Amino acid sequence: MVEPIAYLSFDVVPAYKGAAVHIESFVKPLAQAYGTVDLVTITANPAVQATVDWPGVRHTVLPAVGKTLIDRVMCFRRYLKDWLQGRKFEVIHVRSIFEGMVVAQNKQQFCHALIFEVNGLPSIELKYRYPKVADDLELMNKLMTQEQICLEAADKIVTPSSVTQAYLMSRGIPVENIQVIPNGVDLSVFQYQSVQTEGDRALLKKLKMLYFGTFSAWQGVDLALDALSLYRRDFDASLTMVGPAKGQQIAQLEKLARRLGVTNSVQILNARPQAELAALMHQADVIVAPLKANDRNLVQGCCPLKVLEGMASGTPVVTSELPVVTSLGENERHFLAVRPGSAKAIKDALLRLRADMPLRRRLSTAGRSRIETHYTWEQAQQKLLRVYAALDG
């Protein structure tokens, strides 16, 4: 018997991360449209196997344990190959080479069609988590080879950014094989709150900055701390940072905060459910998304959820002037996009928001309108369903 769809991901679900939000937003409509979806994800702790209860979704959690990432990947691949034995699907949808290689090398055995959803590529991203791998040319070549195998085996590639699309084309993938589907926002969760006069008065006393997302190097969290320090030379301000972080990342941020003399003005919180995150956005005066100008953002590309969700909330967003950002909206209208890598540029944008209350209101209303018009999950889901329908045709 051929099953409709398997959605395989080397990610933890449920979780308070953008990847988990993306997976839920794609898997639910697929289950509604096709009746059943087999969702396979990972756990780093076999004793903890939380599963989701989504209509039409059969969720299987497989172990991914080991001392290193490679150990965890190999563990997961062994279990995944066992799980796939004796099964065949109309479509298998993968999100990385970690699960994708198992399918790509045995495509005819396991499915009629393969969709490769490229949100990131290890040959570019891995060095930001494990800096030493950048010098391991053998490992880098292996990663590139596995990426290419998956890219060429895929019947369709889905990616959230036109920047990523251009990079994949530079690797020989035909443009007609790539469908750009930007990330979206759940407007029922990230409800709009307009900039209020009371907020203006509070901002003049103390600016409340918010950063949310991972604390990876490409996100530029250190720049947010630097900008806070610069701003506080003239006016009072605080910075709240929210996201999943390892102990070492938090220790590094705390060390930087001490060096800059802003420890008492910084709060680091663990990742929160989306509803709680939305509440934090409404309490903030500005959301900062200081993405850095590196190959992860300039070459590979991304579609930053923090910018989209920030725009939806009604709280003004200060971000970096990079193609992955400016493709989402217009600088000075939907957000303030400043020179990448410059804490001073971020500080200057904060001063503008402090001095120009009408600008804050324009960014708030136009940002929300832009999301409603172009970047909801419902719109992304319809594009995804059209990709699946084209496979059927």
Side-chain angles (χ1 to χ4, degrees):
M1 178 181 177
V2 178
E3 298 287 345
I5 298 169
Y7 192 108
L8 316 178
S9 179
F10 190 79
D11 288 288
V12 176
V13 176
Y16 302 143
K17 293 181 65 176
V21 171
H22 195 128
I23 291 166
E24 179 177 359
S25 299
F26 274 12
V27 169
K28 281 184 173 180
L30 288 173
Q32 184 176 6
Y34 291 92
T36 304
V37 172
D38 276 283
L39 171 65
V40 178
T41 61
I42 69 167
T43 178
N45 183 357
V48 180
Q49 297 195 16
T51 57
V52 299
D53 184 19
W54 302 335
V57 177
R58 298 183 298 219
H59 188 190
T60 301
V61 179
L62 299 180
V65 295
K67 291 183 179 181
T68 69
L69 174 63
I70 300 301
D71 293 333
R72 294 191 289 274
V73 169
M74 298 309 295
C75 172
F76 175 68
R77 283 180 174 176
R78 288 194 298 271
Y79 280 97
L80 178 60
K81 196 165 186 177
D82 288 343
W83 182 86
L84 284 166
Q85 292 302 319
R87 303 172 188 261
K88 189 161 187 175
F89 295 89
E90 291 292 344
V91 181
I92 292 184
H93 186 133
V94 300
R95 284 175 50 90
S96 78
I97 65 170
F98 299 145
E99 68 277 4
M101 273 296 290
V102 175
V103 182
Q105 291 181 312
N106 304 275
K107 181 179 169 184
Q108 291 185 341
Q109 178 183 350
F110 295 137
C111 63
H112 293 308
L114 173 62
I115 292 179
F116 185 9
E117 182 185 326
V118 180
N119 295 286
L121 294 165
S123 64
I124 292 178
E125 291 200 351
L126 207 58
K127 61 180 175 287
Y128 293 103
R129 293 182 59 190
Y130 307 99
K132 293 181 180 179
V133 306
D135 298 324
D136 191 335
L137 297 181
E138 182 180 358
L139 175 60
M140 288 296 107
N141 287 333
K142 287 181 178 178
L143 292 174
M144 289 281 288
T145 298
Q146 292 191 19
E147 289 167 0
Q148 202 66 27
I149 289 171
C150 292
L151 289 170
E152 293 178 2
D155 296 276
K156 202 71 174 180
I157 295 167
V158 171
T159 189
S161 170
S162 57
V163 174
T164 313
Q165 180 189 43
Y167 174 65
L168 297 177
M169 290 170 60
S170 76
R171 292 183 57 165
I173 305 303
V175 64
E176 60 269 18
N177 285 8
I178 308 170
Q179 175 65 54
V180 176
I181 304 179
N183 288 332
V185 179
D186 185 341
L187 298 182
S188 68
V189 175
F190 293 96
Q191 298 184 14
Y192 177 69
Q193 179 174 290
S194 62
V195 173
Q196 302 291 332
T197 303
E198 293 78 7
D200 293 345
R201 287 195 288 264
L203 179 151
L204 293 174
K205 295 179 180 178
K206 183 175 184 178
L207 175 73
K208 292 178 289 186
M209 301 165 57
L210 174 68
Y211 169 86
F212 62 92
T214 67
F215 295 164
S216 302
W218 65 70
Q219 302 281 16
V221 192
D222 56 327
L223 294 170
L225 282 168
D226 283 335
L228 170 68
S229 175
L230 293 174
Y231 185 92
R232 282 181 54 80
R233 292 178 183 179
D234 300 308
F235 303 105
D236 196 9
S238 65
L239 171 63
T240 298
M241 297 184 286
V242 185
K246 297 180 180 179
Q248 183 179 4
Q249 290 175 320
I250 294 176
Q252 290 173 344
L253 291 172
E254 290 175 340
K255 181 179 179 180
L256 177 58
R258 287 194 299 271
R259 181 170 66 79
L260 295 172
V262 296
T263 298
N264 293 334
S265 300
V266 175
Q267 183 181 32
I268 302 177
L269 303 176
N270 291 327
R272 296 290 195 270
Q274 285 194 304
E276 292 182 26
L277 182 59
L280 289 172
M281 292 185 198
H282 291 156
Q283 294 167 19
D285 299 308
V286 59
I287 292 166
V288 289
L291 296 165
K292 290 188 174 180
N294 50 36
D295 60 352
R296 193 272 180 179
N297 294 322
L298 290 175
V299 178
Q300 174 192 275
C302 63
C303 184
L305 267 174
K306 57 177 59 60
V307 174
L308 297 177
E309 291 171 350
M311 289 164 62
S313 73
T315 300
V317 176
V318 173
T319 183
S320 301
E321 193 169 13
L322 300 174
V324 294
V325 172
T326 54
S327 65
L328 302 178
E330 185 179 337
N331 187 18
E332 301 281 337
R333 183 181 179 190
H334 303 115
F335 42 68
L336 293 183
V338 304
R339 185 170 73 256
S342 172
K344 181 182 181 302
I346 299 172
K347 182 263 296 184
D348 290 344
L350 299 177
L351 291 174
R352 284 188 62 194
L353 291 175
R354 186 181 194 278
D356 191 343
M357 300 304 176
L359 172 63
R360 294 182 63 224
R361 294 187 178 90
R362 290 198 301 272
L363 294 174
S364 174
T365 56
R368 174 67 181 200
S369 177
R370 178 73 173 174
I371 298 302
E372 291 176 342
T373 305
H374 297 285
Y375 296 105
T376 66
W377 278 123
E378 288 81 3
Q379 291 165 319
Q381 290 160 1
Q382 290 304 311
K383 292 178 181 177
L384 179 67
L385 291 174
R386 286 197 288 272
V387 171
Y388 273 75
L391 291 176
D392 293 339

